[in-house]
Amino acid sequence: MAENRTDEFLERIQGLFRVADAEKLLADPVKEAITELLAASAVRLRAEAASVLVRTADSGDLKFLAATGEVADRIVGLEIPAGKGIAGFVLMSGQPLVVSEPDDESGFYAEVDKTTGFSTKLLLAVPLRFRDDVIGVLEYVNRSSEPFSEPFTPAEMDIAAVYAEAVAALVNAHIGADLMCELSRRIIRDSSEESDVRAWLRSMRENSTHARAIELAALVSELSEKGDAEVELCRTLLESLIGYSSSTTGRLDLA
Amino acid sequence: MTHPIDPISQDGASNFLPDPEWLSATGRGVTVAMIDSGVDASHPDLSGRIAEEVGARIEGKKVTFSPVDDGDLAGHGTACAGIITQLAPEAKVASIRVLGASGSGDAQVFLAGLEYAVKQRYKIINLSLGTTKPQFFAPLHDLLDRAYQAGCIVIAAANNLPQPSFPSIFSSSLISVVKSEEPDPLKFRFHYGEVIELTAPGVSVRTPWVGGGYRTLTGNSFACPHITGLLARLVEMHPELTPFQAKSALYAIARSNSTENG
């Protein structure tokens, strides 16, 4: 009897997740917003194309998350191994860079260009920072109008760095949305395999980007499992902490 | 705000000016360590100039360095080595590659690279990398102090981004550089009292590139090797130059440049 009820509950949950379609609801709109921002900033920087690479895991591999321009469809999803290419260097060094190919040279971004058929002559790459971490790289490629061979300028590097802040916030939102999508996919696929979800959560916990938040959540959850008194203690502690930190930003009344 | 000692009104700076012979020095007998993406030792501009090529490997939680022969993974190191050897054509470069060692935190790997260079007692260390992660502030500060005490002159590229990057913001134990549009490497500037004190050429710099060609590059990390190259000349003339003396000499040279140029 109890088992039937659980099955029924799981089916309802799976149904809800199917209806909600996390991908369409959460991840796609964020990705569209990133692409819009790329297109707008590319116009501002007189760039032929723009793209965003995000770090896929702690290994430092990079993957094209979004792109504009002629070969956008071929670029999105491509991966660059850790530490390879200009993007790999920008990710590790946190340094914005401009690379231009003199007229007498040819072929520089060999690997990606080979796959896409694109010819990179000019490149402006800026790190995407979120909090203390570099989470990806924003790139602008070639000029959209005459003079086509004019390298990106230091002033344009500064403008790109400002766009990078907005893009980084969106990329971070996309990482969160992606996590929800993955969880949703797992629940729809087979929610009775609890160990599967647990293994996924464990792998997430090992990812430094989410590690701190998940650790905190796990601690609170562990403590609250012990009983009502612990739940109360936890709540009181957290509430007073929140109260304290918001009071320090305003005026402290010590009277 | 004025500084207690206003360097602009101090003619004492000229006392620190090195003998002008350094201008014609070539960096002979000096090896510069470069912590970067590796180097294309087969580039015609770098032929015979590379003293050592090591790369980071992750073994468990430890980062070790061993000889590598697969060159430059990103092109950046080749460009920086090219700038160093353009300014100090007889200096040698020891390439300490910290890129491409996956499976560990980036900052940890470049910290290990810096530690390796200090342990090898390289007199001049060029560092184009940094980190904004606060947990590395203290270990890097400690390591830079050890470098200073060991007599290693560390030159780091700063970033112009809103977040401070370590170690470039440390003021006492290293020399930090940002790019300027001035093309003449000898006309670098020293901005006393600012977080990043030196400016050097870093806009549209023509450099060697992986595969034998050339690129035009812009970024602070290309300003940094300009100062490194000049220091290689100074160290040729004064092999016992300390990090403190190096900074004083750079200050005096920049001061005399700006006086000459009005």
Side-chain angles (χ1 to χ4, degrees):
Chain A
M1 182 68 190
E3 205 165 289
N4 282 346
R5 262 218 308 264
T6 315
D7 285 349
E8 199 181 307
F9 174 71
L10 283 177
E11 272 169 32
R12 281 178 59 192
I13 291 278
Q14 285 178 322
L16 282 173
F17 270 97
R18 255 184 229 112
V19 173
D21 195 347
E23 203 133 333
K24 276 215 178 85
L25 187 73
L26 298 169
D28 288 353
V30 180
K31 210 165 161 179
E32 277 163 30
I34 294 172
T35 312
E36 291 289 332
L37 187 53
L38 284 185
S41 58
V43 171
R44 174 75 178 77
L45 291 165
R46 220 163 52 73
E48 187 185 354
S51 56
V52 168
L53 293 109
V54 289
R55 167 183 230 145
T56 53
D58 270 0
S59 67
D61 290 355
L62 283 165
K63 188 176 184 174
F64 283 95
L65 174 70
T68 71
E70 257 177 55
V71 295
D73 293 347
R74 267 170 278 169
I75 281 184
V76 174
L78 280 183
E79 286 193 32
I80 296 178
K84 284 270 167 78
I86 305 282
F89 184 83
V90 170
L91 184 81
M92 188 165 181
S93 70
Q95 287 279 7
L97 290 182
V98 163
V99 184
S100 338
E101 189 179 81
D103 289 337
D104 54 336
E105 294 280 343
S106 62
F108 98 41
Y109 219 26
E111 287 310 310
V112 175
D113 281 357
K114 246 184 258 167
T115 319
T116 60
F118 193 82
S119 175
T120 306
K121 293 273 180 195
L122 308 171
L123 177 73
L124 162 55
V126 247
L128 291 176
R129 294 170 184 281
F130 194 77
R131 302 211 169 100
D132 306 319
D133 220 348
V134 184
I135 58 169
V137 179
L138 171 63
E139 289 190 339
Y140 295 93
V141 175
N142 295 355
R143 290 293 191 182
S144 55
S145 58
E146 290 277 10
F148 288 109
S149 59
E150 184 196 9
F152 291 103
T153 64
E156 286 171 328
M157 285 172 94
D158 293 344
I159 296 168
V162 175
Y163 281 118
E165 282 185 54
V167 173
L170 284 172
V171 166
N172 195 60
H174 188 268
I175 292 170
D178 237 13
L179 286 177
M180 282 311 293
C181 291
E182 185 58 26
L183 184 63
S184 160
R185 270 194 289 276
R186 276 164 196 278
I187 287 172
I188 292 170
R189 197 165 63 215
D190 193 356
S191 62
S192 58
E193 280 296 330
E194 204 187 315
S195 62
D196 199 25
V197 177
R198 272 183 198 282
W200 175 76
L201 280 173
R202 201 177 307 121
S203 74
M204 279 302 106
R205 222 172 284 143
E206 280 159 11
N207 181 336
S208 66
T209 322
H210 313 286
R212 263 182 285 178
I214 292 175
E215 263 169 35
L216 194 65
L219 278 178
V220 173
S221 147
E222 196 182 312
L223 205 62
S224 60
E225 274 169 17
K226 299 211 189 276
D228 289 347
E230 280 79 2
V231 172
E232 265 316 299
L233 179 67
C234 224
R235 179 176 299 145
T236 314
L237 272 171
L238 287 173
E239 278 172 357
S240 28
L241 240 164
I242 292 165
Y244 173 76
S245 63
S246 47
S247 73
T248 50
T249 56
R251 245 187 78 199
L252 269 178
D253 188 5
L254 298 172
Chain B
M1 194 187 116
T2 54
H3 292 281
I5 301 167
D6 180 4
I8 304 304
S9 62
Q10 297 288 307
D11 280 341
S14 56
N15 295 341
F16 297 111
L17 266 179
D19 195 313
E21 270 183 11
W22 78 276
L23 285 164
S24 49
T26 54
R28 183 195 291 258
V30 182
T31 303
V32 173
M34 187 185 74
I35 295 154
D36 216 290
S37 61
V39 71
D40 179 0
S42 66
H43 195 287
D45 285 19
L46 298 175
S47 153
R49 300 267 66 87
I50 308 303
E52 180 188 26
E53 279 185 83
V54 294
R57 258 179 250 282
I58 317 282
E59 284 168 16
K61 292 206 163 177
K62 265 188 75 183
V63 184
T64 60
F65 289 86
S66 49
V68 286
D69 57 5
D70 50 348
D72 187 346
L73 301 173
H76 190 275
T78 302
C80 289
I83 295 170
I84 295 167
T85 53
Q86 271 163 23
L87 289 167
E90 289 192 90
K92 296 223 168 182
V93 173
S95 162
I96 299 163
R97 190 171 79 194
V98 291
L99 228 67
S102 56
S104 179
D106 294 342
Q108 192 203 339
V109 180
F110 102 74
L111 206 115
L114 183 57
E115 187 151 30
Y116 174 87
V118 174
K119 272 193 184 148
Q120 301 288 317
R121 295 281 170 131
Y122 283 117
K123 187 78 198 162
I124 304 176
I125 302 170
N126 187 89
L127 188 64
S128 295
L129 303 116
T131 179
T132 49
K133 291 180 187 167
Q135 65 266 39
F136 286 99
F137 182 95
L140 263 171
H141 204 283
D142 175 56
L143 181 54
L144 261 301
D145 276 352
R146 276 193 280 141
Y148 183 87
Q149 285 146 12
C152 305
I153 305 166
V154 182
I155 307 99
N159 69 27
N160 312 353
L161 299 169
Q163 278 166 302
S165 165
F166 324 123
S168 66
I169 60 158
F170 300 164
S171 55
S172 54
S173 52
L174 85 168
I175 294 162
S176 295
V177 194
V178 285
K179 66 179 185 299
S180 76
E181 300 204 31
E182 167 62 59
D184 184 348
L186 289 170
K187 288 187 183 155
F188 62 88
R189 297 277 173 153
F190 200 111
H191 302 276
Y192 183 80
E194 287 188 16
V195 177
I196 308 300
E197 293 173 313
L198 278 151
T199 59
V203 178
S204 292
V205 183
R206 187 179 162 92
T207 69
W209 195 253
V210 175
Y214 294 86
R215 293 290 177 271
T216 311
L217 304 165
T218 296
N220 292 329
S221 48
F222 309 113
C224 179
H226 278 95
I227 297 297
T228 302
L230 295 182
L231 281 168
R233 293 192 195 177
L234 276 170
V235 167
E236 180 195 334
M237 304 310 294
H238 308 279
E240 301 301 318
L241 196 75
T242 67
F244 178 77
Q245 289 169 325
K247 220 179 204 184
S248 304
L250 289 172
Y251 171 62
I253 296 164
R255 277 280 295 131
S256 79
N257 282 345
S258 58
T259 318
E260 276 169 30
N261 303 324

